[in-house]
Amino acid sequence: MIRLIECENPMDAPTLLGRKEEVQETVDAAVAAILADVKARGEVAVNEYTKKFDGATITQLELPAGEMEAAKVRVDKAFLSVLAQAAENIRLYHAAQLRPGYSLTPRPGVVMGQRILPLERVGVYIPGGTARYPSSALMNVIPAKLAGVDEVLLVTPPDPDGSIPDDILAAAAVAGADRIFLMGGAQAVGALSYGAGPVPRVDKIVGPGNIYVATAKRMVYGLVDIDMIAGPSEVLIISDSKTNPAHIAADLLSQAEHDELAAAILVTTDRRLAARVSEEVEAQLKTLKRESTARASIDDNGAIFIVKSMEDAVAVSNAIAPEHLELCVDEPFALLPSIRHAGSVFLGRHTTEALGDYFAGPNHTLPTNGTARFSSPLGVSDFIKSSSFLYYDGQAMANVAESVAMFADREGLDAHAKAARSRGGQNI
């Protein structure tokens, strides 16, 4: 049963939550061994791990060209229409994030500026296993293509028969993925990082995954870039007394069904609402297909905090820095400026977090485990880099040569000083 917690000091909330953590030490050793093996043996190692972990025998690592478009023909037409609508919303939202470079001419003979350049090749990881996420294909591929990435590779674990569900393939086609590879887990991260057979090395790896995938991404960071090291999902709901308890319970359980380690949290000033939500959670749990997963999440990581005021409720939320935050109050936009730390904020009693997961447009790849204190949702900026440029003509350089040389002298770098003074007409 979800815990009811009296919270006198909002800053104590993260400790009072007592969220269980994943055991990292044994995972680190296992992932390091897989990465080393993939680096050494490439495609052979990848296929062996696919057989071991996914039960699939793969003879061709890359999905044949044309399979994505063929899946669009096979998939349910109503769902294909929903994919297209969601993709349009996601493109509209992320297109606003595009930014140009700039060029400045502050003085005669001087030009400086910045170029915005897309990454050349990106790998997108789509989880498999107990649940499939066509929405993740949309959320990760679309911003990359908007940014201008030349080649987006999508990787996902195959089913035991060696196939990938049509829903995933159709979503990948709608999003604009260029190639698909049948592999998952830490071995897929290794293949994208080192190259393996037909899998080329990428510049960046993005997308959600389990602790093995997250650990592998952490270990290869520096060789390639990554989006974030994401943990289990979480939602925090701030509510006054007026929200329907059934709606709150449904939203809490929508996160709990993801993962036994997911966190579902309500913060409210109303004791009666807290009790009614607790009852609703118990009633709705019995109706879920993933009841055992949601039950473990609610029992181990769920909580209802009872606070004295809305100011305290906001302070609890900022202390926890949740991935998803719902503001179920009369004036959510009035409360929004007080929110300092949240991956994505859902405003009002009708804006369920599930809307953001699938359809509305903002990205669902969000910072977790309190990292919303310093990081941001996935977006176009994750798929670009900047490069500066600088031009001084002869006279402009001569005008500043001694100033540059003075810096070099202070740092004891004679060659730097001589390089500057030589442009100023002095002998070296």
Side-chain angles (χ1 to χ4, degrees):
M1 178 173 286
I2 195 166
R3 292 167 294 155
L4 272 65
I5 301 173
E6 299 279 352
C7 188
E8 297 292 331
N9 182 355
M11 298 308 296
D12 291 338
T15 302
L16 292 171
L17 186 59
R19 189 174 180 185
K20 287 188 176 180
E21 299 293 338
E22 295 169 292
V23 179
Q24 189 69 52
E25 293 81 3
T26 55
V27 173
D28 280 356
V31 169
I34 291 171
L35 291 176
D37 195 16
V38 171
K39 185 176 183 181
R41 298 194 298 131
E43 181 180 6
V44 173
V46 171
N47 289 339
E48 286 180 5
Y49 287 117
T50 299
K51 176 65 175 178
K52 178 179 179 180
F53 297 129
D54 302 308
T57 300
I58 300 300
T59 57
Q60 188 174 344
L61 198 54
E62 183 171 2
L63 190 78
E67 277 301 302
M68 283 187 285
E69 289 299 323
K72 287 173 63 177
V73 176
R74 296 190 299 264
V75 80
D76 177 77
K77 295 301 178 288
F79 181 61
L80 186 63
S81 175
V82 168
L83 283 175
Q85 293 172 59
E88 182 179 356
N89 294 338
I90 295 164
R91 287 191 182 96
L92 176 66
Y93 179 84
H94 288 82
Q97 299 173 358
L98 291 165
R99 59 188 176 94
Y102 58 86
S103 179
L104 306 173
T105 306
R107 295 179 297 281
V110 175
V111 181
M112 57 186 174
Q114 184 182 75
R115 300 172 66 207
I116 303 298
L117 303 166
L119 302 182
E120 288 188 36
R121 183 181 291 123
V122 168
V124 172
Y125 188 94
I126 305 298
T130 59
R132 287 288 193 171
Y133 300 101
S135 57
S136 289
L138 300 182
M139 295 288 183
N140 286 268
V141 174
I142 289 173
K145 298 308 289 186
L146 280 172
V149 173
D150 295 338
E151 190 173 42
V152 177
L153 315 182
L154 189 147
V155 302
T156 191
D159 287 340
D161 64 359
S163 68
I164 296 173
D166 282 344
D167 286 354
I168 298 289
L169 299 181
V174 169
D178 296 295
R179 301 167 71 183
I180 294 186
F181 294 90
L182 289 77
M183 57 183 183
Q187 63 270 23
V189 174
L192 291 170
S193 303
Y194 309 125
V199 185
R201 282 185 57 177
V202 301
D203 301 311
K204 185 165 188 170
I205 302 172
V206 302
N210 62 18
I211 188 173
Y212 291 91
V213 172
T215 300
K217 287 166 70 176
R218 173 171 56 82
M219 288 183 173
V220 300
Y221 175 66
L223 177 63
V224 297
D225 192 15
I226 62 172
D227 51 353
M228 63 186 75
I229 302 171
S233 190
E234 57 205 21
V235 66
L236 188 148
I237 301 172
I238 293 177
S239 180
D240 55 24
S241 62
K242 301 176 185 178
T243 310
N244 186 330
H247 294 172
I248 295 175
D251 288 359
L252 293 173
L253 290 171
S254 72
Q255 290 308 298
E257 72 175 350
H258 270 299
D259 189 318
E260 293 182 0
L261 293 167
I265 306 157
L266 168 65
V267 185
T268 183
T269 56
D270 190 80
R271 293 177 181 276
R272 185 167 177 266
L273 179 77
R276 292 179 63 193
V277 168
S278 177
E279 293 169 359
E280 273 290 339
V281 166
E282 289 300 310
Q284 291 185 30
L285 265 170
K286 298 181 176 66
T287 69
L288 298 180
K289 294 178 181 177
R290 294 170 62 87
E291 179 184 357
S292 61
T293 298
R295 165 62 69 189
S297 168
I298 290 295
D299 288 350
D300 294 338
N301 301 302
I304 298 176
F305 286 102
I306 301 170
V307 295
K308 296 177 181 178
S309 65
M310 274 294 150
E311 289 75 14
D312 281 355
V314 169
V316 166
S317 178
N318 283 333
I320 292 174
E323 177 188 14
H324 307 94
L325 170 62
E326 293 187 11
L327 301 181
C328 295
V329 296
D330 283 339
E331 300 293 338
F333 284 95
L335 212 56
L336 184 59
S338 301
I339 302 301
R340 293 293 303 273
H341 308 303
S344 188
V345 184
F346 301 81
L347 299 160
R349 305 184 201 281
H350 305 294
T351 314
T352 175
E353 183 274 325
L355 177 66
D357 268 352
Y358 300 118
F359 191 77
N363 210 285
H364 76 191
T365 303
L366 302 167
T368 62
N369 283 344
T371 59
R373 292 179 294 108
F374 53 80
S375 58
S376 308
L378 188 77
V380 168
S381 61
D382 286 281
F383 302 101
I384 60 174
K385 61 181 181 177
S386 63
S387 176
S388 61
F389 62 86
L390 180 64
Y391 168 80
Y392 273 53
D393 69 13
Q395 186 58 55
M397 183 63 217
N399 291 342
V400 301
E402 187 56 32
S403 297
V404 175
M406 189 179 297
F407 263 112
D409 288 339
R410 293 301 176 97
E411 295 185 356
L413 299 174
D414 290 350
H416 281 68
K418 290 179 178 181
R421 289 189 172 108
S422 72
R423 298 318 201 275
Q426 298 184 34
N427 293 326
I428 59 172

